[in-house]
């Protein structure tokens, strides 16, 4: 099939998932056309079936707000027309679903019907999308999508709760390529970070308020009072300066490292002993799933869709949002002895395998086939 994928190209989970999906589909022989404003972060290798179309938004003195959505719709029309695209899969409702609606209407006038699948990822519904500034357009464009999917059951419920829509939402969980993440840790790297065998604890996010990075640091400090550890903070975002400032004032400063944005998560995660995700909400928690695929147990909150991936007392533990005492206690329980830690590690991997790329990508392919088949009737 010839498929157009529209996503945010940045480090956010929705862009990562969309890019990994496109790569997996290309490996299966589909032609994938990415449409976005910058080369997606995870799209680093050449692939004969993958094409990247950059959306450029010309500036003009009149434009305080250059119209990205208009440029995106025009690019969709161009790519679809010139590459015989059979369907368009947009990730993150704003503004991708409404731009897709506009492109679809333009193409319809030209006698071409291109079905649209919209995948909801989380903040497009729970945070930004339900704001009254965007809500009518998000509601309309969800209803106009041929198929609507959500990355967790929780997100599906949140969508019905927050929007007046009577459309079926298919749940297709996010996935991870377990083979890629399940690697032997590089001992020299581990030795460099934790020269005295300290436990390596990792957090990765876009450092937005919703991630509660301060809770990550406070949980680590509590763990560190009982056993020596090193905290690696991966990613960047608006809360990073504040997070760095609180670390500068604490005694454990030498045990905390801010590594910034990292493309090769599969190189770093295998050296971790534990992954911390203290978010106020996660529709899914793709970062935690990637950690589990690298055989790393997860201490997380029980918010949103996290209980759908992290199993309490099995692949890690879950606590109420903000309960850093409980998170630290649970981390220490995992580190109780080697045998317990190894059991949690093995369980984390077993849990990740349920969301392996080979189990999930065919679910999208099935949807695509149903749409294209329906159209041929
Ligand atoms: O977490 C973010 O702020 C980024 C956001 C995104 O859209 O890139 O992530 C959302 O989508 C991911 C992929 O489906 C999910 O794993 C994250 O849980 C979800 N984030 C939130 O719901 C806060």
């Amino acid at each position: 099939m010839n498929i157009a994928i529209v996503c945010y190209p940045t480090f956010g989970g929705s862009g990562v998932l969309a890019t990994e999906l496109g790569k997996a589909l290309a490996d299966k022989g589909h032609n994938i056309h990415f449409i976005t404003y910058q080369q997606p972060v995870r799209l680093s290798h050449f692939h004969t079936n993958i094409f990247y179309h950059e959306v450029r938004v010309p500036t003009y003195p009149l434009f305080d707000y250059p119209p990205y959505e208009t440029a995106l719709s025009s690019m969709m029309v161009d790519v679809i027309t010139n590459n015989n695209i059979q369907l368009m899969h947009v990730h993150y409702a704003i503004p991708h679903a409404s731009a897709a609606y506009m492109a679809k209407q333009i193409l319809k006038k030209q006698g071409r019907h291109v079905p649209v699948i919209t995948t909801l990822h989380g903040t497009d519904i729970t945070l930004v999308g339900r704001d009254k500034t965007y809500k009518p357009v998000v509601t309309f464009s969800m209803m106009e999508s041929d198929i609507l999917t959500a990355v967790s059951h929780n997100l599906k419920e949140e969508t019905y709760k927050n929007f007046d829509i009577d459309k079926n939402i298919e749940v297709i969980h996010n996935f991870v390529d377990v083979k890629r993440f399940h690697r032997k840790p590089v001992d020299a790297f581990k030795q460099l970070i934790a020269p005295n065998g300290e436990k390596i604890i990792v957090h990765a996010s876009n450092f937005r308020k919703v991630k509660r990075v301060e809770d990550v640091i406070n949980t680590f400090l509590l763990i560190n009072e009982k056993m020596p550890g090193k905290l690696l903070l991966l990613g960047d975002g608006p809360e990073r300066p504040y997070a760095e400032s609180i670390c500068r004032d604490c005694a454990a400063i030498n045990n905390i490292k801010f590594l910034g944005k990292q493309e090769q998560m599969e190189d770093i995660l295998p050296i971790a002993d534990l992954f911390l995700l203290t978010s106020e909400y996660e529709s899914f928690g793709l970062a935690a799933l990637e950690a589990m695929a690298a055989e790393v147990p997860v201490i997380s909150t029980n918010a949103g869709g996290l209980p759908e991936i992290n199993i309490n007392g099995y692949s890690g533990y879950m606590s109420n949002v903000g309960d850093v005492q409980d998170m630290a206690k649970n981390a220490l329980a995992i580190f109780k002895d080697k045998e317990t830690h190894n059991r949690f590690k093995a369980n984390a991997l077993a849990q990740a395998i349920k969301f392996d790329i080979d189990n999930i990508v065919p679910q999208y392919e099935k949807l695509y086939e149903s749409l294209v088949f329906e159209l041929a009737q």
Side-chain angles (χ1 to χ4, degrees):
M1 269 186 248
N2 300 326
I3 301 163
I5 292 185
V6 183
C7 65
Y8 281 103
T10 48
F11 280 86
S14 63
V16 167
L17 196 279
T19 312
E20 298 295 353
L21 174 62
K23 283 157 53 177
L25 291 166
D27 283 342
K28 292 181 140 199
H30 300 287
N31 290 313
I32 304 300
H33 293 258
F34 283 101
I35 306 177
T36 183
Y37 58 83
Q38 196 178 285
Q39 173 147 334
V41 170
R42 293 261 179 117
L43 194 64
S44 45
H45 295 102
F46 171 70
H47 195 301
T48 45
N49 297 355
I50 295 182
F51 307 86
Y52 161 55
H53 306 269
E54 192 160 297
V55 181
R56 287 192 195 86
V57 190
T59 52
Y60 186 68
L62 197 65
F63 297 159
D64 276 343
Y65 302 99
Y68 176 67
E69 192 171 338
T70 306
L72 177 60
S73 294
S74 297
M75 182 57 98
M76 287 171 172
V77 171
D78 184 74
V79 172
I80 289 168
T81 310
N82 293 303
N83 297 282
N84 202 21
I85 298 294
Q86 291 158 283
L87 65 92
M88 184 153 58
H89 189 171
V90 305
H91 292 259
Y92 207 90
I94 308 166
H96 301 154
S98 45
Y101 171 76
M102 173 64 102
K104 197 171 145 175
Q105 295 313 307
I106 296 169
L107 290 159
K108 208 163 147 191
K109 289 264 184 225
Q110 298 167 8
R112 185 190 282 267
H113 178 67
V114 179
V116 173
I117 297 183
T118 299
T119 291
L120 308 172
H121 278 274
T123 45
D124 46 352
I125 294 301
T126 56
L127 227 96
V128 201
R130 70 174 197 203
D131 188 292
K132 71 177 187 328
T133 326
Y134 297 115
K135 198 169 178 176
V137 176
V138 175
T139 309
F140 175 80
S141 42
M142 281 197 286
M143 285 301 291
E144 289 296 323
S145 293
D146 294 271
I147 291 183
L148 205 51
T149 76
V151 298
S152 64
H153 293 286
N154 173 269
L155 183 59
K156 174 179 173 168
E157 282 156 26
E158 286 296 320
T159 309
Y160 285 136
K161 223 190 302 168
N162 289 299
F163 292 85
D164 187 18
I165 58 164
D166 57 0
K167 194 181 179 70
N168 180 50
I169 302 177
E170 297 262 352
V171 173
I172 301 187
H173 282 121
N174 285 334
F175 60 82
V176 63
D177 183 353
V178 174
K179 283 190 291 302
R180 198 169 100 209
F181 282 83
H182 189 225
R183 292 187 183 177
K184 241 181 91 51
V186 179
D187 285 340
F189 183 22
K190 205 168 168 138
Q191 179 71 24
L192 221 60
I193 304 279
N196 302 307
E198 297 93 336
K199 294 288 182 225
I200 299 178
I201 298 172
V202 169
H203 166 78
S205 76
N206 54 16
F207 284 66
R208 299 207 169 264
K209 269 208 157 38
V210 70
K211 306 291 174 179
R212 296 180 66 100
V213 180
E214 191 171 355
D215 286 359
V216 171
I217 294 162
N218 288 332
T219 304
F220 171 73
L221 294 176
L222 289 168
I223 299 169
N224 208 227
E225 280 173 12
K226 306 277 182 207
M227 77 187 301
K230 298 281 179 185
L231 175 65
L232 301 183
L233 292 142
L234 312 181
D236 210 333
E239 295 298 302
R240 179 173 168 181
Y242 174 64
E244 288 208 43
S245 74
I246 51 178
C247 291
R248 277 189 207 116
D249 295 338
C250 71
I253 172 76
N254 292 331
N255 296 326
I256 304 176
K257 280 191 167 45
F258 286 81
L259 299 187
K261 291 179 181 173
Q262 298 287 331
E263 281 178 33
Q264 301 302 119
M265 291 298 288
E266 62 269 43
D267 290 337
I268 301 168
L269 287 171
I271 68 157
D273 294 298
L274 191 76
F275 189 83
L276 277 181
L277 193 62
T278 57
S279 309
E280 193 173 314
Y281 179 81
E282 286 293 339
S283 65
F284 184 87
L286 186 60
L289 181 64
E290 291 188 338
M292 285 155 82
E295 225 181 310
V296 182
V298 171
I299 292 289
S300 73
T301 55
N302 51 15
L306 284 167
E308 291 174 48
I309 57 164
N310 190 16
I311 307 297
N312 202 35
Y314 178 74
S315 52
Y317 282 105
M318 287 185 295
S319 308
N320 291 332
V321 174
D323 195 346
V324 293
Q325 295 285 347
D326 195 53
M327 291 187 235
K329 185 191 92 203
N330 290 336
L332 291 165
I334 291 176
F335 292 148
K336 188 176 120 211
D337 51 44
K338 209 169 170 41
E339 198 192 349
T340 309
H341 190 204
N342 283 344
R343 192 178 67 245
F344 273 93
K345 279 163 64 110
N347 294 346
L349 176 63
Q351 188 58 11
I353 290 170
K354 293 185 192 157
F355 300 88
D356 186 48
I357 194 163
D358 290 342
N359 299 327
I360 308 288
V361 172
Q363 297 179 30
Y364 281 115
E365 276 184 297
K366 216 166 127 200
L367 281 190
Y368 298 164
E369 277 155 20
S370 73
L371 272 181
V372 172
F373 179 75
E374 207 176 280
L375 206 68
Q377 293 308 294

